[in-house]
Amino acid sequence: MDDVKDEPAGGRGLSRRSFVRMSSAIGTMTFANGLPFLAAIAQKSGGSRSKGQVSGRRKLGTLEVSSVGLGCQDFTGTFYATAPNRADMIILARTAHDNGVMLFDAAEAYGPLEVERILGEALAPIRNQVVLSSKFGWNIDPDTGKSLGGLNSRPDHIRLSVEGMLKRYRTDRIDLVYQHRVDPQVPIEDVAGTVKDLIAEGKVLHFGLSEPGPQTLRRAHAVQPLTAVQNEYSIMARDPEVQILPICRELGIGFVCWSPLAMAFLTGTIDKETQFQRGDFRAMVPWFAPDNRSGNLAIVAVVKEWARRKNAVPVQVSLAWLMAQDPWIVPIPGTTKMAHMLDNNGADAVSFTMAELQEFNAALVRTPVHGARLPAMVLSLSGVEAPAKQS
């Protein structure tokens, strides 16, 4: 899990966007060319396109990407108990690219395997215009997607994982490959060395880690220079600021933010009465527990005030705040909704002066976060240090 998508819960909050209200009523209609009505509106609406355009570019190490990417974790609807249509996800990915998005983020664990297949079908015609990233590291059968339990970053398994990615993505190289979580049984030197060999073979172009321990990050970089770290980072999840971001700054490593909208908390669509559907991961996240939710809504109030001041929507302010921290930070908000994707892209046009950022941060300091960002069992997989390499 990394780019947890930032969607409202149980359909709540969709009424805030007339675009989505309209699509709910006529989403099953199609034009003669077979395009879903929702996608056709997005393609034809110059207003939506101009507001949802990403023109900015950023560098993750030496890799150029759009200033806002697209997290594709829930394209199969397995994480938040949604049921997106596969054809609509293909059109969403293509429309994101049409609106300037270059970076598309997936993992073999998403689906499993199916999200990579969806992106492969969607982006194969424009392969050379996009940056495809994925992740290995879970003990998954690379042919069937069946979970074999736990983590697996053994060199032979990494190679099998990458070969599977290449087939599903319909490509001859993966632009950016991350270890999904640090494997406590495999020295990071073996992991980085395997990826270094894959880079030499041209099958992988760049290497990254997700949620690593700080010393593991340094050890990996010493074997194969890292392009990016992908960790949860948002106004509500600021853990990386303590150790990981300073290391990235020191070593010239880019940073990709998964769940930059705090699992939709920062969209402003969640309130005290929000109920999560059965199977929605957020029902287990401490942030959303009744005892914590009221306190965290105070943070959302700060974001809404800044959205008013910036003539923007809360998601745009939340993403722009991340991009204001450093020029090598790139958020990858996840969504399965066209209107949300366009809103997210609009963060590219929101900026803060230094004085505004200081004022914003001062308000956040006065408004503490209540509860942990993840359930304890899931959180225990973050910040892990790989075992020492035996000589």
PDB file of all heavy atoms in Angstrom, residues 11 17 42 75 96 169 180 182 200 225 250 276 308 368 387:
ATOM      1  N   GLY A  11     -19.630   7.648  -1.015  1.00  0.00           N
ATOM      2  CA  GLY A  11     -20.330   8.539  -1.918  1.00  0.00           C
ATOM      3  C   GLY A  11     -20.604   9.907  -1.324  1.00  0.00           C
ATOM      4  O   GLY A  11     -21.111  10.779  -1.997  1.00  0.00           O
ATOM      5  N   ARG A  17     -19.544  18.782  -6.243  1.00  0.00           N
ATOM      6  CA  ARG A  17     -19.091  19.042  -7.611  1.00  0.00           C
ATOM      7  C   ARG A  17     -20.229  18.748  -8.575  1.00  0.00           C
ATOM      8  O   ARG A  17     -20.658  17.602  -8.714  1.00  0.00           O
ATOM      9  CB  ARG A  17     -17.886  18.176  -7.948  1.00  0.00           C
ATOM     10  CG  ARG A  17     -16.657  18.588  -7.127  1.00  0.00           C
ATOM     11  CD  ARG A  17     -15.579  17.584  -7.256  1.00  0.00           C
ATOM     12  NE  ARG A  17     -14.395  18.004  -6.507  1.00  0.00           N
ATOM     13  CZ  ARG A  17     -13.468  17.184  -6.083  1.00  0.00           C
ATOM     14  NH1 ARG A  17     -13.543  15.906  -6.319  1.00  0.00           N
ATOM     15  NH2 ARG A  17     -12.411  17.637  -5.424  1.00  0.00           N
ATOM     16  N   ALA A  42     -15.527  15.580 -20.210  1.00  0.00           N
ATOM     17  CA  ALA A  42     -14.198  16.046 -19.822  1.00  0.00           C
ATOM     18  C   ALA A  42     -13.381  16.437 -21.033  1.00  0.00           C
ATOM     19  O   ALA A  42     -12.628  17.401 -21.012  1.00  0.00           O
ATOM     20  CB  ALA A  42     -13.484  14.957 -19.036  1.00  0.00           C
ATOM     21  N   PHE A  75      -7.754   1.522  -8.909  1.00  0.00           N
ATOM     22  CA  PHE A  75      -8.386   1.361 -10.217  1.00  0.00           C
ATOM     23  C   PHE A  75      -9.235   0.087 -10.280  1.00  0.00           C
ATOM     24  O   PHE A  75     -10.099  -0.029 -11.146  1.00  0.00           O
ATOM     25  CB  PHE A  75      -7.331   1.335 -11.323  1.00  0.00           C
ATOM     26  CG  PHE A  75      -6.965   2.685 -11.872  1.00  0.00           C
ATOM     27  CD1 PHE A  75      -7.194   3.840 -11.139  1.00  0.00           C
ATOM     28  CD2 PHE A  75      -6.394   2.813 -13.121  1.00  0.00           C
ATOM     29  CE1 PHE A  75      -6.857   5.093 -11.643  1.00  0.00           C
ATOM     30  CE2 PHE A  75      -6.054   4.051 -13.648  1.00  0.00           C
ATOM     31  CZ  PHE A  75      -6.293   5.198 -12.904  1.00  0.00           C
ATOM     32  N   ALA A  96      -5.942  12.047 -18.030  1.00  0.00           N
ATOM     33  CA  ALA A  96      -4.926  12.641 -17.163  1.00  0.00           C
ATOM     34  C   ALA A  96      -3.714  13.054 -17.985  1.00  0.00           C
ATOM     35  O   ALA A  96      -3.181  14.172 -17.830  1.00  0.00           O
ATOM     36  CB  ALA A  96      -4.521  11.652 -16.075  1.00  0.00           C
ATOM     37  N   TYR A 169       2.649  -3.954 -18.444  1.00  0.00           N
ATOM     38  CA  TYR A 169       2.732  -2.573 -18.902  1.00  0.00           C
ATOM     39  C   TYR A 169       2.921  -2.458 -20.416  1.00  0.00           C
ATOM     40  O   TYR A 169       2.909  -1.365 -20.962  1.00  0.00           O
ATOM     41  CB  TYR A 169       3.903  -1.864 -18.211  1.00  0.00           C
ATOM     42  CG  TYR A 169       3.548  -1.125 -16.934  1.00  0.00           C
ATOM     43  CD1 TYR A 169       4.473  -1.015 -15.901  1.00  0.00           C
ATOM     44  CD2 TYR A 169       2.320  -0.500 -16.770  1.00  0.00           C
ATOM     45  CE1 TYR A 169       4.176  -0.315 -14.738  1.00  0.00           C
ATOM     46  CE2 TYR A 169       2.019   0.209 -15.612  1.00  0.00           C
ATOM     47  CZ  TYR A 169       2.951   0.285 -14.600  1.00  0.00           C
ATOM     48  OH  TYR A 169       2.650   0.992 -13.462  1.00  0.00           O
ATOM     49  N   HIS A 180       8.606  -2.110  -2.439  1.00  0.00           N
ATOM     50  CA  HIS A 180       7.349  -1.655  -1.844  1.00  0.00           C
ATOM     51  C   HIS A 180       7.461  -1.483  -0.329  1.00  0.00           C
ATOM     52  O   HIS A 180       6.946  -0.525   0.232  1.00  0.00           O
ATOM     53  CB  HIS A 180       6.251  -2.665  -2.186  1.00  0.00           C
ATOM     54  CG  HIS A 180       4.888  -2.074  -2.253  1.00  0.00           C
ATOM     55  ND1 HIS A 180       3.883  -2.579  -3.034  1.00  0.00           N
ATOM     56  CD2 HIS A 180       4.339  -1.001  -1.628  1.00  0.00           C
ATOM     57  CE1 HIS A 180       2.796  -1.866  -2.888  1.00  0.00           C
ATOM     58  NE2 HIS A 180       3.039  -0.891  -2.044  1.00  0.00           N
ATOM     59  N   VAL A 182      10.483  -2.601   2.935  1.00  0.00           N
ATOM     60  CA  VAL A 182      11.775  -3.222   3.244  1.00  0.00           C
ATOM     61  C   VAL A 182      11.539  -4.640   3.762  1.00  0.00           C
ATOM     62  O   VAL A 182      10.730  -4.858   4.669  1.00  0.00           O
ATOM     63  CB  VAL A 182      12.548  -2.389   4.277  1.00  0.00           C
ATOM     64  CG1 VAL A 182      13.802  -3.126   4.743  1.00  0.00           C
ATOM     65  CG2 VAL A 182      12.914  -1.028   3.683  1.00  0.00           C
ATOM     66  N   ALA A 200      21.359  -1.943 -15.705  1.00  0.00           N
ATOM     67  CA  ALA A 200      22.399  -2.198 -16.711  1.00  0.00           C
ATOM     68  C   ALA A 200      21.825  -2.929 -17.923  1.00  0.00           C
ATOM     69  O   ALA A 200      22.288  -2.729 -19.060  1.00  0.00           O
ATOM     70  CB  ALA A 200      23.534  -3.007 -16.087  1.00  0.00           C
ATOM     71  N   PRO A 225      22.391   4.469  -6.835  1.00  0.00           N
ATOM     72  CA  PRO A 225      21.788   5.758  -6.500  1.00  0.00           C
ATOM     73  C   PRO A 225      20.278   5.745  -6.699  1.00  0.00           C
ATOM     74  O   PRO A 225      19.767   5.295  -7.727  1.00  0.00           O
ATOM     75  CB  PRO A 225      22.481   6.729  -7.463  1.00  0.00           C
ATOM     76  CG  PRO A 225      23.825   6.104  -7.690  1.00  0.00           C
ATOM     77  CD  PRO A 225      23.572   4.622  -7.721  1.00  0.00           C
ATOM     78  N   GLU A 250      19.918  15.898   1.306  1.00  0.00           N
ATOM     79  CA  GLU A 250      21.374  15.729   1.342  1.00  0.00           C
ATOM     80  C   GLU A 250      21.895  14.956   0.138  1.00  0.00           C
ATOM     81  O   GLU A 250      22.933  15.324  -0.449  1.00  0.00           O
ATOM     82  CB  GLU A 250      21.758  14.992   2.629  1.00  0.00           C
ATOM     83  CG  GLU A 250      23.225  14.586   2.715  1.00  0.00           C
ATOM     84  CD  GLU A 250      23.490  13.599   3.840  1.00  0.00           C
ATOM     85  OE1 GLU A 250      22.634  13.462   4.748  1.00  0.00           O
ATOM     86  OE2 GLU A 250      24.553  12.942   3.798  1.00  0.00           O
ATOM     87  N   PHE A 276     -18.280   4.732   6.679  1.00  0.00           N
ATOM     88  CA  PHE A 276     -17.497   4.056   5.657  1.00  0.00           C
ATOM     89  C   PHE A 276     -18.156   2.740   5.270  1.00  0.00           C
ATOM     90  O   PHE A 276     -18.681   2.014   6.117  1.00  0.00           O
ATOM     91  CB  PHE A 276     -16.072   3.797   6.157  1.00  0.00           C
ATOM     92  CG  PHE A 276     -15.322   5.059   6.458  1.00  0.00           C
ATOM     93  CD1 PHE A 276     -15.051   5.432   7.770  1.00  0.00           C
ATOM     94  CD2 PHE A 276     -14.919   5.881   5.434  1.00  0.00           C
ATOM     95  CE1 PHE A 276     -14.379   6.598   8.051  1.00  0.00           C
ATOM     96  CE2 PHE A 276     -14.240   7.065   5.703  1.00  0.00           C
ATOM     97  CZ  PHE A 276     -13.970   7.425   7.017  1.00  0.00           C
ATOM     98  N   ARG A 308     -10.304  29.263   0.606  1.00  0.00           N
ATOM     99  CA  ARG A 308     -11.073  30.484   0.373  1.00  0.00           C
ATOM    100  C   ARG A 308     -10.157  31.644  -0.009  1.00  0.00           C
ATOM    101  O   ARG A 308     -10.431  32.378  -0.964  1.00  0.00           O
ATOM    102  CB  ARG A 308     -11.882  30.829   1.628  1.00  0.00           C
ATOM    103  CG  ARG A 308     -12.803  32.042   1.465  1.00  0.00           C
ATOM    104  CD  ARG A 308     -13.312  32.528   2.808  1.00  0.00           C
ATOM    105  NE  ARG A 308     -12.235  33.020   3.668  1.00  0.00           N
ATOM    106  CZ  ARG A 308     -11.645  34.206   3.518  1.00  0.00           C
ATOM    107  NH1 ARG A 308     -12.022  35.025   2.542  1.00  0.00           N
ATOM    108  NH2 ARG A 308     -10.677  34.574   4.336  1.00  0.00           N
ATOM    109  N   PRO A 368      -3.100  20.309  16.321  1.00  0.00           N
ATOM    110  CA  PRO A 368      -2.442  18.998  16.284  1.00  0.00           C
ATOM    111  C   PRO A 368      -3.294  17.916  15.629  1.00  0.00           C
ATOM    112  O   PRO A 368      -4.533  17.989  15.615  1.00  0.00           O
ATOM    113  CB  PRO A 368      -2.213  18.683  17.763  1.00  0.00           C
ATOM    114  CG  PRO A 368      -3.284  19.447  18.476  1.00  0.00           C
ATOM    115  CD  PRO A 368      -3.463  20.715  17.690  1.00  0.00           C
ATOM    116  N   PRO A 387      18.365  -6.145   7.175  1.00  0.00           N
ATOM    117  CA  PRO A 387      19.458  -6.788   7.906  1.00  0.00           C
ATOM    118  C   PRO A 387      20.811  -6.488   7.277  1.00  0.00           C
ATOM    119  O   PRO A 387      20.899  -6.121   6.088  1.00  0.00           O
ATOM    120  CB  PRO A 387      19.130  -8.283   7.788  1.00  0.00           C
ATOM    121  CG  PRO A 387      18.322  -8.383   6.516  1.00  0.00           C
ATOM    122  CD  PRO A 387      17.500  -7.136   6.475  1.00  0.00           C
TER     123      PRO A 387
END
